[in-house]
Amino acid sequence: MKVQIPRGTQDILPGQAKIWQWLEEKMREVTNKYHFEEIRTPIFEHTEIFARGVGDTTDIVQKEMYSFQDRSGRDLTLRPEGTAAVVRSFVENKMYGDPNQPVKLFYIGPMFRYERPQSGRYRQFVQFGVEALGSQDPAIDAEVISLAMNIYREAGLKNVHLVINSLGDKESRAKHREALINHFRPRIGEFCEDCQNRLEKNPLRILDCKVDREHELMKTAPSILEYLNDESKVYFDKVCQYLTDLGIEYTIDSTLVRGLDYYNATTFEIMSSAPGFGAITTLCGGGRYNGLVEEFGGPETPGIGFALSIERLIAALEAEQVQPDIHNGLDFYVVALGERAKDYSVKLLSELRNNGFSADRDYTGRKMKAQLKSADRLHAKFVVIIGEDELDAGIVQLKNMETGEQKEIKLATFIEEIKQFAV
Ligand code: ATP
Ligand code: MG
């Protein structure tokens, strides 16, 4: 038997899991302030949801999905991203009929992509994302972007910056599409096979190619911003204006097209500029996807969202050497010496826990000194020492591990007394 974790996955061990919990809590806090509510969709969906929702010409659908047939021959796929499933649920549960519009949702959970694993790129990774469905107001674009920026700020990152672009509306994109085809067609033979296929299907995606990114035609490609019609331009300017009002700095990059097919109008990425951060610097990507709800049979509904992975956020924290403010959470460590004291500690631990404290003890028969060392290693705030003599006298020793102060406490009033100060 191969006792080995699958390639591209990782175990989050207890010490690391604390950082995850801390981050998840931060995300929930921030999201709550923006009044987005959690939605939980299944880990797998009908393959078609992603094929149509993410788009047939994307890397995700063409190369990265974990698809399988169940025992009844259904085509299913482990979710590679969150938006398609959220929109599926939005339509299926008729959330477009909810009197409170836009519907503001967030999700957090594992995603699966068959990719070449490298730093910041896993086959199972956790995405946090938000979706605001039902509003075509540039203020909601700015709100969604500011939510993402706030998460990074709250996590303690300093070196993040926002890159933004507009893909315009249908009309703008149709004109730009023609220009792109004319631009690339004469020399498309010099591009990779994927790009050759993209030329007619979705030439915009050529700009997102990772193989041909250095080709000179990439640099001279017609910019979408020059093809925005008046309406799209006004919308984009308004988003930028709001960002400025919010004190969010940004750069405009007209080549930012994003990986998913359904994007239009506003697109954005948040990058890490921390020195020492790996080659992949994108922490978060998002944008507007008007048209996706219709694709799934719902009424015409605009939407905007983003997704970020916790793995890359943690990598950025490491690159910036941010120390999360994490407490071990252990209030009491009970050191019991002798059989009777040990027996008593079972009850004492339970009492402590029932009164809202976290408490632990030794279960491996270690000597007093070793037990105190454990208490120290576990960053226990207090140590309760019970010996046989103390037990007979109805007292325990309480040591404050921070100040080193030690005092005697009567067992009869133990809980009442510690409640005075151990909060
Ligand atoms: P990339 O260009 O890095 O492949 P993408 O366009 O595929 O990114 P999205 O689908 O937009 O990424 O996902 C949003 C975010 O999820 C990314 O910005 C990144 O932080 C994270 N992410 C994407 N793929 C992975 C992965 N395989 N492992 C860890 N995080 C990932
Ligand atoms: Mg990708």
Side-chain angles (χ1 to χ4, degrees):
M1 187 178 68
K2 203 170 178 188
V3 185
Q4 205 177 43
I5 198 166
R7 191 165 142 76
T9 66
Q10 57 174 346
D11 294 318
I12 314 292
L13 301 176
Q16 191 74 358
K18 288 232 160 59
I19 300 177
W20 283 70
Q21 288 169 8
W22 175 78
L23 282 173
E24 285 165 13
E25 202 175 307
K26 283 257 167 300
M27 289 172 176
R28 286 176 193 277
E29 266 171 34
V30 174
T31 315
N32 204 21
K33 284 188 204 155
Y34 283 78
H35 194 228
F36 280 69
E37 291 184 291
E38 184 170 8
I39 180 166
R40 301 186 186 198
T41 61
I43 297 283
F44 56 86
E45 296 272 346
H46 292 291
T47 299
E48 209 191 336
I49 296 294
F50 303 117
R52 294 184 57 176
V54 180
D56 284 337
T57 63
T58 59
D59 279 352
I60 292 183
V61 172
Q62 288 188 346
K63 305 174 190 163
E64 299 175 356
M65 293 207 302
Y66 278 94
S67 299
F68 59 99
Q69 282 195 336
D70 72 4
R71 285 165 194 270
S72 309
R74 290 184 194 90
D75 288 314
L76 301 170
T77 294
L78 298 183
R79 61 183 185 188
E81 58 95 58
T83 306
V86 168
V87 171
R88 192 263 312 135
S89 177
F90 177 87
V91 172
E92 199 167 345
N93 293 290
K94 302 192 172 56
M95 286 186 235
Y96 45 78
D98 190 322
N100 296 319
Q101 298 289 327
V103 175
K104 293 160 71 173
L105 303 167
F106 81 88
Y107 59 84
I108 182 163
M111 305 294 163
F112 306 85
R113 295 185 193 177
Y114 189 77
E115 303 206 63
R116 198 166 62 80
Q118 50 189 295
S119 130
R121 202 181 282 295
Y122 298 91
R123 290 185 173 172
Q124 174 174 336
F125 57 102
V126 173
Q127 272 190 342
F128 165 86
V130 312
E131 314 292 349
L133 292 135
S135 168
Q136 174 82 335
D137 183 328
I140 197 95
D141 299 40
E143 175 166 304
V144 162
I145 293 171
S146 107
L147 195 167
M149 292 298 277
N150 253 324
I151 283 175
Y152 292 117
R153 204 185 55 199
E154 288 287 320
L157 289 180
K158 302 248 177 322
N159 298 303
V160 288
H161 69 271
L162 170 66
V163 181
I164 178 167
N165 186 28
S166 171
L167 300 180
D169 58 7
K170 255 193 199 136
E171 185 189 83
S172 313
R173 273 202 317 285
K175 287 205 181 112
H176 181 233
R177 183 192 147 89
E178 281 312 304
L180 280 174
I181 294 177
N182 292 338
H183 177 75
F184 286 112
R185 184 182 284 134
R187 291 174 63 186
I188 194 65
E190 297 166 28
F191 285 76
C192 73
E193 213 182 301
D194 283 342
C195 282
Q196 298 188 11
N197 289 328
R198 286 167 183 147
L199 184 68
E200 296 296 336
K201 278 197 201 147
N202 192 351
L204 196 63
R205 297 210 31 78
I206 296 178
L207 300 178
D208 201 31
C209 179
K210 297 197 168 85
V211 181
D212 294 314
R213 59 154 63 108
E214 298 303 328
H215 196 286
E216 57 169 310
L217 283 193
M218 289 291 205
K219 294 176 184 88
T220 53
S223 157
I224 178 71
L225 294 176
E226 281 159 31
Y227 289 83
L228 294 186
N229 58 18
D230 287 348
E231 208 181 315
S232 298
K233 202 169 165 347
V234 166
Y235 192 93
F236 186 49
D237 287 346
K238 196 89 197 193
V239 175
C240 293
Q241 180 58 50
Y242 284 138
L243 291 173
T244 305
D245 293 347
L246 291 170
I248 299 173
E249 285 176 31
Y250 59 85
T251 18
I252 295 174
D253 177 357
S254 65
T255 65
L256 182 73
V257 302
R258 308 270 317 116
L260 315 184
D261 266 359
Y262 48 63
Y263 282 106
N264 53 33
T266 313
T267 57
F268 64 96
E269 284 190 356
I270 299 171
M271 334 275 284
S272 167
S273 44
F277 194 67
I280 310 170
T281 56
T282 306
L283 300 177
C284 169
R288 201 162 252 296
Y289 46 83
N290 301 353
L292 192 57
V293 173
E294 270 175 287
E295 180 72 33
F296 284 162
E300 193 181 333
T301 310
I304 179 161
F306 70 75
L308 61 87
S309 79
I310 303 203
E311 285 80 357
R312 280 194 206 170
L313 171 46
I314 288 178
L317 289 174
E318 283 166 5
E320 291 197 20
Q321 295 176 336
V322 175
Q323 289 294 338
D325 180 22
I326 293 170
H327 302 287
N328 182 278
L330 189 59
D331 298 318
F332 290 92
Y333 190 88
V334 177
V335 174
L337 303 160
E339 216 39 48
R340 272 200 302 132
K342 274 193 193 152
D343 292 348
Y344 186 80
S345 75
V346 172
K347 210 179 102 199
L348 189 67
L349 278 174
S350 156
E351 249 178 82
L352 282 165
R353 291 167 181 160
N354 289 342
N355 279 280
F357 298 108
S358 59
D360 205 355
R361 58 161 267 200
D362 171 71
Y363 289 101
T364 57
R366 271 179 290 197
K367 298 234 155 52
M368 166 126 164
K369 214 171 145 193
Q371 290 196 33
L372 284 171
K373 255 197 191 147
S374 293
D376 214 29
R377 258 200 315 273
L378 296 171
H379 305 293
K381 285 188 211 142
F382 295 93
V383 171
V384 185
I385 305 166
I386 328 173
E388 309 265 314
D389 293 347
E390 272 99 347
L391 210 54
D392 290 337
I395 52 160
V396 289
Q397 299 290 335
L398 183 77
K399 185 172 178 188
N400 182 326
M401 295 296 275
E402 210 176 295
T403 62
E405 211 181 316
Q406 191 165 327
K407 66 174 184 176
E408 235 171 62
I409 297 191
K410 285 204 186 68
L411 274 177
T413 53
F414 181 72
I415 294 292
E416 284 76 65
E417 271 201 58
I418 59 162
K419 272 192 179 165
Q420 312 281 318
F421 55 87
V423 266

